[in-house]
Amino acid sequence: MENQNIDTSQDLAQVQLDLIKKRKSPVAFSEKEVAKDQLEQLFEAVRWAASCFNEQPWRFVVATKDQGDHYQKVLNGLNPHNQTWAQNAPVLMLTFAKKTFDKNGRPNMHSWHDLGLAMGNMSAQSTAMGLYLHQMAGIVRDNIQKDFDIPEDYEIVSGIALGYKLDIEDVPEDLKDRETKERTRKSLNEFVFNEAWGESSF
Ligand SMILES: Cc1cc2nc3c(=O)[nH]c(=O)nc-3n(C[C@H](O)[C@H](O)[C@H](O)COP(=O)(O)O)c2cc1C
């Protein structure tokens, strides 16, 4: 899937779809580090996401494993179930959404939506870079608030584990089932409707 093979927009569309399908949320991460310039590239992808009024309401706290105490604090923000596997990821993050618009101080009802778009960009970019991320709603907001003193105008949204995934033969036995579980999806006619709700042309 190298650049020189991409010579028509049809090829590009297929490459894009293949990358989207390749993305998955692993629980078995390799120890291999993620370099700072790779993180920068992921956040560059985030930076160009669309957002309501271009407010870019997303914020991230990032910790790499070599950051010892700081990494432990981010890990402490995840619930115990997620900590069991996420503690092997070389990068952990927390995400936040600004509650109000900069432009007029009114509530931003789309801030989580826009953070989701930013995460979509980060997910797509990470797959293209050979990286994988696993997002987590299972966080402990009180710990995050206490450890990071989050300003009042920001909601604590999620955690993220990021890194390279382990080759399947290296995945520990206790994680093997989860890591190899078949990934399933709704079919198009379950969520794309046409003239009447529930009626699909797909
Ligand atoms: C907002 C969000 C919250 C999630 N929370 C958790 C979580 O707390 N723990 C977990 O193991 N996986 C969590 N996941 C991962 C989902 O379970 C996973 O994306 C879904 O099963 C589809 O699998 P796939 O990402 O491999 O395609 C979360 C995903 C998202 C997008």
Side-chain angles (χ1 to χ4, degrees), residues 23-25 27 82 85 134-138 178 183 185:
R23 184 212 59 80
K24 61 174 276 184
S25 305
V27 284
N82 284 329
W85 55 266
H134 193 145
Q135 301 171 76
M136 292 164 272
R178 265 190 91 178
R183 296 172 64 233
R185 288 299 189 264

Side-chain angles (χ1 to χ4, degrees), residues 20-27 79 81-82 85 112 119 133-139 157-159 178 181-185:
I20 285 170
K21 289 184 181 181
K22 188 176 170 219
R23 184 212 59 80
K24 61 174 276 184
S25 305
V27 284
N79 73 21
H81 183 65
N82 284 329
W85 55 266
W112 285 45
M119 286 311 304
L133 55 87
H134 193 145
Q135 301 171 76
M136 292 164 272
I139 54 175
V157 179
S158 68
R178 265 190 91 178
K181 207 173 111 195
E182 191 195 355
R183 296 172 64 233
T184 59
R185 288 299 189 264

Side-chain angles (χ1 to χ4, degrees), residues 16 19-20 23 119-129 133:
Q16 168 90 331
L19 281 175
I20 285 170
R23 184 212 59 80
M119 286 311 304
N121 277 17
M122 189 192 283
S123 298
Q125 187 65 25
S126 61
T127 317
M129 293 163 67
L133 55 87

Side-chain angles (χ1 to χ4, degrees), residues 1-200:
M1 209 190 299
E2 297 197 8
N3 267 355
Q4 64 260 32
N5 295 334
I6 302 169
D7 53 13
T8 68
S9 61
Q10 232 183 351
D11 284 345
L12 259 180
Q14 191 55 54
V15 168
Q16 168 90 331
L17 195 53
D18 287 346
L19 281 175
I20 285 170
K21 289 184 181 181
K22 188 176 170 219
R23 184 212 59 80
K24 61 174 276 184
S25 305
V27 284
F29 285 95
S30 138
E31 283 175 4
K32 188 174 168 185
E33 285 175 20
V34 178
K36 187 161 181 220
D37 62 330
Q38 290 174 294
L39 287 174
E40 204 171 335
Q41 203 171 47
L42 292 180
F43 286 114
E44 189 64 16
V46 162
R47 199 167 155 244
W48 287 99
S51 62
C52 188
F53 292 127
N54 197 22
E55 285 260 340
Q56 305 157 62
W58 46 77
R59 301 289 185 276
F60 296 83
V61 165
V62 185
T64 50
K65 201 140 212 179
D66 59 318
Q67 289 184 290
D69 283 354
H70 174 51
Y71 181 93
Q72 279 305 318
K73 274 206 273 181
V74 175
L75 186 64
N76 192 40
L78 309 181
N79 73 21
H81 183 65
N82 284 329
Q83 281 188 20
T84 57
W85 55 266
Q87 64 182 321
N88 296 318
V91 183
L92 293 177
M93 303 185 212
L94 300 169
T95 77
F96 307 85
K98 189 167 186 286
K99 292 180 196 171
T100 57
F101 288 116
D102 290 338
K103 61 184 262 156
N104 57 19
R106 295 216 179 112
N108 181 352
M109 304 301 286
H110 305 283
S111 61
W112 285 45
H113 174 278
D114 294 348
L115 173 62
L117 290 178
M119 286 311 304
N121 277 17
M122 189 192 283
S123 298
Q125 187 65 25
S126 61
T127 317
M129 293 163 67
L131 289 163
Y132 289 82
L133 55 87
H134 193 145
Q135 301 171 76
M136 292 164 272
I139 54 175
V140 185
R141 287 188 170 75
D142 287 350
N143 289 355
I144 297 168
Q145 185 58 49
K146 181 163 55 67
D147 283 338
F148 292 101
D149 198 17
I150 307 305
E152 213 276 315
D153 204 20
Y154 291 84
E155 286 179 293
I156 304 168
V157 179
S158 68
I160 305 169
L162 168 78
Y164 294 93
K165 70 180 172 64
L166 278 181
D167 291 334
I168 203 63
E169 57 273 16
D170 298 328
V171 174
E173 273 315 309
D174 57 326
L175 296 176
K176 218 158 216 161
D177 278 356
R178 265 190 91 178
E179 201 65 346
T180 54
K181 207 173 111 195
E182 191 195 355
R183 296 172 64 233
T184 59
R185 288 299 189 264
K186 290 185 165 68
S187 53
L188 298 194
N189 63 13
E190 291 177 274
F191 64 91
V192 189
F193 306 143
N194 203 269
E195 288 182 18
W197 183 265
E199 277 180 28
S200 183

